[in-house]
Amino acid sequence: MEVNSERENLRSGEAALVLHPYIKRSIQTKIRDPQSCLEEAVSLTAAISLDVIHSEIITLNRARPGTLFGTGKIDELGDFIKNSHIDVVIIDGPVTPVQQRNLERHWKVKIVDRTGLILEIFGERAQTKEGALQVELAHLSYQRTRLVRSWTHLERQRGSLSFIGGPGESQLEIDRRLIDERITKIKRQLSSVVQTRELHRAKRKKIPYPIVALVGYTNAGKSTLFNRMTQSDVFAEDLLFATLDPTMRKITLPGGQPVILSDTVGFISDLPTELVAAFRATLEEVLEADLIVHVRDITHIDTGAQRQDVLDVLKRLGVDTDDEGTYLEVLNKIDVLEPEEKEKLYNSTERGEGQVAISAITGEGTETFLRRIEDLLTARQKVLELEIPAEDGATLSWIYRNGTVLERTDQEDIVHIEAKFSPENLGRLEKILNKDL
């Protein structure tokens, strides 16, 4: 017997109704614009090719424990759902299993909450075996709490003379046990992936290029910036969660030092706990980074709340975002700002070392961005003045690959170089020059 590990079984083109419950009297730690939240939910729904027939903010004084909405609103929406031939209702917020079951009984359609919708998107976007396993793990963890939906067969008891399905074990208990077994199997498979990643990291440490990880709210422009910096063609569209699997490329900073740039999965408000846990192996690339670059859509109405959402996830992963030497904010999409707004933003970022303003689309500000990366990565390095024989091309090449050249003067037989080196590369340079520095 196998557990059904399918997701919500949403089909492209199904008619969808998107609802954003806004509770007026709720104590909210992050104030977000309800209309912006609704638009994001519509974008999430469109990301899996559902046909959004209507979207609406539902203002509530409080959430009803059994049905979320009041009786009058349920009847009103029920008439609309029937007359508009709605196939699925997306509720942009948490929906308990009991609320989901009761609403499905009232409306006779599928109900998908925010977590289920995000899981569906991740399931469609995962390209690698690792990504597919991570999504399945997240979905099973989520599904395990929802075995009480409207499945009447789960209420049956079954007895057995064998050890499988013991005396009086219900179908619900059997399904839960099967899910637990599948979760255990996936975790074993993912552990081998983690070991493979650790081997890759060990190889990278032998060639000690610093790692710069791009993080940010989904659709902030990370992949667009990654493509511009690396001349790559990573999938980047005006689409939520366009990137799931991390991509790494080598780039060269203005001083000649190579670094590894990593593009990671985008974050979102109320990112399901199951996803953070499942994608931890992938997100560990962020933990290993020498510098974390937080890409923000500075034009978004909720840019401040989005910033806090990303910081919350980073803290859940154990990242110290207060360390100014390892964290940099990139204020993206300045190309759509008015000239006065852009000038004001430039002035504010020039005063602070922790931010830089850019446009990933036009390239404006990216040279400053690269210099800022270089400054942060080399802040703790030692500056040396060297005299290298002009014919020693191998040593000169090594210096450019492993150090940051600040100044170079070529004479007839000698090349004078001023460069920065990390402690590790300083030791390697000592061996190459065969003398104490």
Side-chain angles (χ1 to χ4, degrees), residues 157-170 174 177:
Q157 295 272 328
R158 65 178 290 180
S160 175
L161 297 177
S162 65
F163 292 107
I164 299 177
E169 186 177 24
S170 69
I174 293 172
R177 174 166 50 78

Side-chain angles (χ1 to χ4, degrees), residues 51-308:
D51 183 13
V52 179
I53 303 299
H54 178 67
S55 62
E56 184 178 343
I57 298 171
I58 307 295
T59 302
L60 305 171
N61 290 322
R62 64 181 179 87
R64 300 292 179 92
T67 56
L68 183 61
F69 307 115
T71 304
K73 179 56 70 173
I74 289 177
D75 291 341
E76 176 189 335
L77 290 171
D79 291 338
F80 178 83
I81 289 168
K82 182 178 180 180
N83 295 332
S84 302
H85 305 289
I86 299 296
D87 300 304
V88 57
V89 176
I90 306 295
I91 298 179
D92 183 39
V95 178
T96 67
V98 172
Q99 291 169 341
Q100 183 176 7
R101 178 189 61 194
N102 289 336
L103 288 174
E104 286 181 340
R105 285 176 174 174
H106 279 292
W107 292 340
K108 304 296 190 294
V109 295
K110 288 176 288 188
I111 304 295
V112 180
D113 67 356
R114 184 178 178 85
T115 295
L117 180 60
I118 294 174
L119 287 171
E120 184 75 17
I121 296 171
F122 271 54
E124 282 200 357
R125 299 286 163 75
Q127 298 296 318
T128 64
K129 181 180 179 181
E130 175 189 2
L133 286 172
Q134 289 169 327
V135 171
E136 185 180 359
L137 175 61
H139 174 70
L140 287 171
S141 300
Y142 170 76
Q143 185 188 41
R144 191 181 186 279
T145 67
R146 295 183 176 259
L147 294 180
V148 297
R149 288 181 63 180
S150 57
W151 302 334
T152 55
H153 76 278
L154 298 183
E155 299 172 358
R156 295 199 306 267
Q157 295 272 328
R158 65 178 290 180
S160 175
L161 297 177
S162 65
F163 292 107
I164 299 177
E169 186 177 24
S170 69
Q171 184 66 43
L172 185 147
E173 291 168 337
I174 293 172
D175 284 1
R176 182 170 290 137
R177 174 166 50 78
L178 290 170
I179 286 176
D180 288 340
E181 291 172 357
R182 178 61 181 160
I183 287 174
T184 300
K185 182 177 179 180
I186 292 174
K187 285 182 175 179
R188 282 200 302 266
Q189 291 176 286
L190 282 174
S191 66
S192 65
V193 174
V194 173
Q195 293 174 2
T196 302
R197 284 191 178 277
E198 289 175 349
L199 289 174
H200 291 166
R201 292 192 192 109
K203 289 181 180 178
R204 286 201 299 268
K205 287 178 180 178
K206 292 180 180 179
I207 307 174
Y209 294 159
I211 297 176
V212 177
L214 300 179
V215 301
Y217 204 85
T218 186
N219 218 25
K222 294 184 297 78
S223 295
T224 303
L225 177 60
F226 181 86
N227 287 342
R228 176 165 289 278
M229 295 291 97
T230 63
Q231 285 77 53
S232 300
D233 57 355
V234 172
F235 181 60
E237 288 188 6
D238 185 15
L239 195 67
L240 296 181
F241 294 116
T243 303
L244 283 189
D245 298 303
T247 307
M248 309 185 87
R249 297 284 189 277
K250 186 175 75 171
I251 65 172
T252 302
L253 297 179
Q257 182 183 15
V259 300
I260 302 296
L261 191 64
S262 173
D263 185 20
T264 60
V265 63
F267 299 158
I268 198 168
S269 64
D270 303 317
L271 189 66
T273 301
E274 297 92 346
L275 273 178
V276 175
F279 274 75
R280 191 173 184 87
T282 300
L283 295 173
E284 279 177 357
E285 296 290 352
V286 177
L287 294 175
E288 293 291 323
D290 297 276
L291 176 64
I292 294 175
V293 174
H294 178 183
V295 182
R296 294 174 55 190
D297 178 358
I298 198 61
T299 67
H300 198 283
I301 189 173
D302 277 336
T303 184
Q306 290 182 353
R307 174 183 184 273
Q308 191 57 51

